Amino acid sequence: MSPLWLLVSIAVLALIGAVIGRRKAMASAGGDARELHSLPNYYGANVALLVTAPALLVLAAWMILQPMLIEGRVASIVPDAAYQDAGALNLLMADVRRVAGGLDLAVAQGALTAQEAHDAEATDLRARLAEIGVAVGSEVDTVILEAAQRYRVLDSRADLARTVVILILALAGFIFTVSRIDRTYRARNSVELAVLVLLIGASTIAILTTFGIVMSMLFETMNFFRQYPASEFFFSTTWDPSFSGRGGASELGILPLLWGTLYISLIALLVSVPIGLFAAIYLSEYADKRFRGFAKPLLEVLAGIPTIVYGLFALITVGPLLRDAIASPLGLGNSASSVMTAGLVMGIMLIPFVSSLSDDIINAVPQAMRDGSYGLGATQSETIRQVIVPAALPGIVGAILLAASRAIGETMIVVLGAGAAARIDVNPFEAMTTVTVKIVSQLTGDTDFSSPETLVAFALGLTLFVITLGLNVLALYIVRRYREQYE
Amino acid sequence: MNDMRFVERTVGNEEVKIAARGVHVYYGDTHAIKDVNIDIADKMVTAFIGPSGCGKSTFLRCINRMNDTIPIARIEGDIMIDGEDIYDRRVDPVQLRAKVGMVFQKPNPFPKSIYDNVAYGPKIHGLARNKAELDEIVETSLRRAALWDEVKDRLQAPGTGLSGGQQQRLCIARAVATSPEVLLMDEPCSALDPIATDQVENLIHELRERYSVVIVTHSMSQASRVSQRTAYFHLGEMVEYGETGDIFTNPRDQRTENYITGRIG
Ligand SMILES: Nc1ncnc2c1ncn2[C@@H]1O[C@H](COP(=O)(O)OP(=O)(O)OP(=O)(O)O)[C@@H](O)[C@H]1O
Ligand SMILES: [Mg+2]
């Protein structure tokens, strides 16, 4: 049975179980739901849960483990002489899988009978498989064919075992729970437990993925530092990777990139924070309902524009405009891509982010606070400056820090607006670049995942991750303290 | 009613401080105040009593135009303070509220230090010439609100960290600090223990010498202790208004009598 059919059977079994469970519970209470410990639906849900949960868990584990185990077994029958190293074995095994899969497919499509597939000769197999759309890397030799046949046998046996085990498990869950149903059985509590486990599972997945991402980055970063001194990476002021073939040693200092990142983010924040904050104050304190109902969604549309579109705006409009209007006349440079361009456009991108978060926070300040201030004869702007903004300040700071992490992680606007030249300069009309841009450029094109020029991307990524993580933690900490403010 | 000690009631040659004529208040479709006419005397304490939801707070909020901050509230009729229509277009509600202070039904200290809470009004209105004067205002205000002894060692602690009753007294101190001419107090003692209540009542007596005070209260004994005039509100109408002693001993309206003798509310 294919996994899909297995899932369907489990679902059907669960459904039947739910109905029977509910019935049995009602019957045990003599048809009076008030006699039951829990609502009748809980008994049904309880059966359905015990039918599905263990079966699905085992099925998931099985699907992951089966190919791994079978490949191990098959690889062990391939004679050592057929390959030189682990890489060659990998390629060979890929062919084995493809041949095995091709044969299965041929049988499924009717191009071969099961017997023909079993007795297939190595000679013209490649061509025959190509006919049904399966490409094999090289001519199929007997070693591969033998391994593939072995693979098919093991795989079909394992599939059968899987079907049996899963169905037994689902049935066992069914029988076990249905047999326990009784007037006093606490079905509600066990459903509650299942909900708890589900929620814990969801949060664990979130945490584990973060952990996994960090670990993989850490692993590659350590590889990088084995090949390139950490002190140079963190303290060198030159970024000059030399790609293999051109010769010469690379200079992989993070400082110029970090400088570009921070400079552009700073300009972006200088643009977005005042504008976003004032817009939020206007919207939440001054604007009447009708204007607010129309302006707020409009601002949020700004947040929905993909950053690449902002990048184009920077490249085509803002960059040349700044160069022709300010940089060239003042003799500050002739480059259309500049820190200023990227910073301004990124700032525009962040305005709705800041304003929408701040607006929510300002709205959360209780009306009683405003009343208190107005009642003492304060004007609207005095109230805003002296009561509302201070009360909302921690939340606003949190919003700004979140905006900062977005600015730091932004890539597209920088590529198109600020260029790709790593440089430390105070002139905002010079082209500079950021960490994220360099991560992309180090990983695109022909890459060899063992050279420091490529691995440096992971070190850059990890550094960036640590910086934004720090900012986010700070933001969360501040936002949390803010919650206690008007208790 | 035997336990009520009636304060001496000065009647005669009094000035009208607040005069309301034909006041109606609507919250959207709810008609919350219906045709209220009242003359509130200067240098006197006037108590508003009445069952919950009858519009006492609403009417109180009309006197310093706090209802302006509620978008759905609509006010009709005239309210004069010192003969000047406060709903006239030339009147700045901000100026008005500096003159007509208010203590709200629910304590609402700012999330600032105790000191800054009290200093807020004086700072905005420039009442102190220097820090020493400001300190002085803060201290006397807190003393008058009977809070000084409890907070004098932690003036820089947040006002929101005080207990409910302390917060209420902080709000009283905050209102007193701007030296308003009229003080509107909406159930100022609802969260206070008898001792603090007594202190606040003493404060009201003291304020009466200079200001006119309007107090909303659910405590009949408090109304009779602190006020010279009492107005009874019922379902948005002002049913009866007169000398506190008369209202309590000799109510003219059946509804007032029922309320006072505890048959409703
Ligand atoms: N902001 C508002 N929006 C809509 N209706 C309101 C609002 N404030 C008060 N009301 C309504 O106006 C009426 C009078 O309310 P008000 O708060 O003045 O009563 P109150 O006499 O102060 O009562 P309490 O003694 O319980 O404080 C009530 O029916 C109330 O529901
Ligand atoms: Mg009230």
Side-chain angles (χ1 to χ4, degrees):
Chain A
M1 229 188 264
S2 75
L4 184 66
W5 278 110
L6 262 182
L7 285 182
V8 171
S9 352
I10 294 172
V12 169
L13 209 57
L15 210 64
I16 298 171
V19 173
I20 293 184
R22 193 176 190 282
R23 283 245 179 90
K24 186 171 175 203
M26 284 302 277
S28 78
D32 183 358
R34 283 173 304 178
E35 293 288 309
L36 290 172
H37 170 270
S38 316
L39 290 175
N41 280 345
Y42 277 116
Y43 292 90
N46 197 29
V47 178
L49 265 173
L50 257 109
V51 170
T52 45
L56 288 185
L57 279 179
V58 172
L59 181 61
W62 197 298
M63 305 273 283
I64 295 170
L65 290 179
Q66 178 175 327
M68 285 162 68
L69 290 177
I70 290 184
E71 261 183 49
R73 296 274 297 276
V74 172
S76 67
I77 67 157
V78 175
D80 289 348
Y83 55 89
Q84 294 93 31
D85 54 23
L89 178 63
N90 261 338
L91 288 178
L92 192 140
M93 283 310 296
D95 271 350
V96 167
R97 251 173 300 156
R98 216 163 293 145
V99 170
L103 284 171
D104 284 341
L105 190 68
V107 174
Q109 291 189 348
L112 295 174
T113 63
Q115 194 55 42
E116 276 171 350
H118 186 254
D119 301 335
E121 291 294 329
T123 44
D124 60 340
L125 200 54
R126 188 180 183 191
R128 294 194 66 176
L129 288 180
E131 271 168 35
I132 57 163
V134 177
V136 181
S138 55
E139 208 53 60
V140 180
D141 60 18
T142 42
V143 173
I144 290 180
L145 184 61
E146 215 167 279
Q149 294 293 14
R150 177 89 189 128
Y151 191 98
R152 292 183 63 212
V153 172
L154 287 176
D155 207 36
S156 69
R157 263 192 226 155
D159 278 354
L160 185 67
R162 182 180 69 195
T163 307
V164 171
V165 168
I166 299 296
L167 287 183
I168 287 178
L169 212 57
L171 266 175
F174 186 109
I175 292 164
F176 175 71
T177 26
V178 169
S179 71
R180 291 218 311 175
I181 287 179
D182 163 57
R183 206 163 53 74
T184 54
Y185 180 63
R186 303 181 179 194
R188 191 180 179 204
N189 301 28
S190 59
V191 170
E192 194 61 34
L193 186 72
V195 170
L196 179 70
V197 170
L198 180 80
L199 298 181
I200 290 178
S203 54
T204 318
I205 286 175
I207 292 167
L208 284 185
T209 351
T210 317
F211 187 72
I213 293 173
V214 174
M215 285 320 282
S216 74
M217 300 265 283
L218 207 60
F219 185 73
E220 298 293 349
T221 304
M222 264 148 52
N223 270 345
F224 170 69
F225 284 136
R226 233 171 265 136
Q227 298 178 30
Y228 192 88
S231 59
E232 293 244 332
F233 173 71
F234 284 116
F235 300 114
S236 160
T237 56
T238 347
W239 173 267
D240 182 19
S242 90
F243 279 96
S244 41
R246 254 200 281 150
S250 295
E251 288 255 30
L252 300 172
I254 194 178
L255 287 181
L257 307 182
L258 221 47
W259 169 256
T261 301
L262 296 181
Y263 202 173
I264 292 175
S265 305
L266 181 76
I267 292 177
L269 290 180
L270 286 180
V271 172
S272 60
V273 170
I275 297 180
L277 196 56
F278 292 161
I281 289 175
Y282 176 72
L283 282 182
S284 59
E285 296 293 316
Y286 288 88
D288 67 24
K289 251 208 186 118
R290 284 217 332 275
F291 180 76
R292 184 186 151 85
F294 143 93
K296 204 175 178 214
L298 213 64
L299 253 179
E300 274 155 15
V301 165
L302 215 55
I305 299 176
T307 58
I308 186 79
V309 176
Y310 282 105
L312 290 175
F313 179 56
L315 181 73
I316 292 169
T317 314
V318 180
L321 189 76
L322 283 180
R323 180 193 56 198
D324 299 340
I326 302 178
S328 297
L330 293 180
L332 288 171
N334 285 313
S335 151
S337 4
S338 65
V339 167
M340 196 49 113
T341 308
L344 276 182
V345 174
M346 204 190 282
I348 294 169
M349 176 192 82
L350 291 176
I351 288 172
F353 195 72
V354 174
S355 78
S356 156
L357 277 174
S358 312
D359 180 62
D360 291 346
I361 292 157
I362 290 174
N363 268 326
V365 175
Q367 180 63 28
M369 258 351 113
R370 297 180 179 93
D371 284 352
S373 175
Y374 294 141
L376 289 168
T379 64
Q380 199 160 12
S381 80
E382 282 164 350
T383 303
I384 289 164
R385 254 183 298 132
Q386 305 200 21
V387 177
I388 296 176
V389 170
L393 192 62
I396 292 172
V397 171
I400 294 172
L401 290 181
L402 287 179
S405 349
R406 278 204 61 177
I408 288 173
E410 178 51 43
T411 314
M412 278 349 278
I413 295 178
V414 181
V415 178
L416 297 178
R423 177 182 300 146
I424 297 186
D425 199 327
V426 282
N427 179 358
F429 294 98
E430 283 290 350
M432 285 177 220
T433 200
T434 63
V435 178
T436 50
V437 171
K438 283 303 167 196
I439 293 178
V440 175
S441 66
Q442 292 311 100
L443 288 180
T444 40
D446 263 348
T447 47
D448 166 10
F449 270 86
S450 55
S451 73
E453 285 79 13
T454 310
L455 288 174
V456 70
F458 293 97
L460 291 175
L462 193 65
T463 314
L464 210 54
F465 175 77
V466 169
I467 293 174
T468 43
L469 184 75
L471 277 179
N472 279 325
V473 168
L474 195 65
L476 277 181
Y477 169 76
I478 292 173
V479 169
R480 191 158 303 162
R481 284 213 29 196
Y482 155 77
R483 296 241 159 84
E484 300 162 359
Q485 284 268 333
Y486 8 79
E487 235 57 82
Chain B
M1 297 264 161
N2 304 337
D3 59 327
M4 291 184 187
R5 52 185 167 92
F6 293 103
V7 289
E8 94 291 357
R9 325 222 180 251
T10 36
V11 194
N13 70 343
E14 66 193 30
E15 267 174 61
V16 175
K17 183 76 184 171
I18 307 164
R21 292 292 171 267
V23 174
H24 291 264
V25 180
Y26 303 86
Y27 291 111
D29 293 334
T30 319
H31 196 170
I33 290 288
K34 297 165 188 157
D35 192 24
V36 169
N37 296 284
I38 190 172
D39 284 327
I40 292 170
D42 198 10
K43 301 197 167 48
M44 262 193 210
V45 180
T46 306
F48 288 176
I49 59 171
S52 184
C54 67
K56 306 178 295 293
S57 301
T58 301
F59 186 67
L60 203 66
R61 290 167 61 96
C62 290
I63 301 176
N64 67 347
R65 292 188 61 172
M66 277 307 289
N67 283 330
D68 290 13
T69 63
I70 301 176
I72 58 167
R74 193 158 51 82
I75 294 122
E76 285 170 9
D78 297 318
I79 297 179
M80 328 271 202
I81 294 185
D82 295 331
E84 203 184 336
D85 182 2
I86 60 168
Y87 282 93
D88 191 281
R89 260 191 296 122
R90 278 163 307 182
V91 170
D92 177 7
V94 169
Q95 291 295 317
L96 173 74
R97 290 181 201 133
K99 213 164 73 168
V100 184
M102 180 153 198
V103 177
F104 293 84
Q105 187 163 359
K106 273 185 244 140
N108 55 350
F110 302 131
K112 296 171 179 289
S113 70
I114 294 170
Y115 182 95
D116 286 338
N117 261 284
V118 182
Y120 184 79
K123 270 188 192 161
I124 282 182
H125 301 298
L127 299 184
R129 265 166 303 181
N130 50 42
K131 178 83 169 70
E133 265 186 35
L134 192 60
D135 289 349
E136 173 78 32
I137 293 177
V138 170
E139 180 175 343
T140 43
S141 306
L142 284 169
R143 276 191 196 284
R144 296 172 87 181
L147 189 60
W148 174 254
D149 290 332
E150 284 157 70
V151 300
K152 62 172 185 278
D153 302 322
R154 47 171 174 150
L155 289 175
Q156 294 312 321
T160 41
L162 296 173
S163 80
Q166 287 172 328
Q167 289 187 9
Q168 187 64 288
R169 279 176 282 158
L170 180 63
C171 293
I172 294 174
R174 193 172 73 179
V176 170
T178 46
S179 323
E181 292 172 25
V182 177
L183 189 61
L184 310 172
M185 303 176 103
D186 199 345
E187 294 181 40
C189 301
S190 56
L192 301 190
D193 63 31
I195 297 167
T197 302
D198 192 52
Q199 285 164 325
V200 170
E201 286 177 6
N202 287 338
L203 166 70
I204 294 172
H205 280 303
E206 201 185 301
L207 291 173
R208 201 205 126 193
E209 289 165 14
R210 276 179 288 164
Y211 313 130
S212 104
V213 178
V214 183
I215 176 171
V216 172
T217 176
H218 279 294
S219 156
M220 241 70 75
S221 56
Q222 179 171 56
S224 60
R225 279 197 303 272
V226 301
S227 71
Q228 287 77 49
R229 296 283 168 82
T230 296
Y232 172 69
F233 284 78
H234 190 91
L235 294 176
E237 285 173 59
M238 196 190 70
V239 170
E240 195 166 347
Y241 175 51
E243 297 291 319
T244 299
D246 290 346
I247 297 267
F248 281 102
T249 50
N250 194 9
R252 268 166 292 146
D253 195 286
Q254 187 60 42
R255 289 170 290 183
T256 318
E257 186 176 341
N258 287 348
Y259 182 73
I260 288 167
T261 53
R263 252 169 276 168
I264 45 167

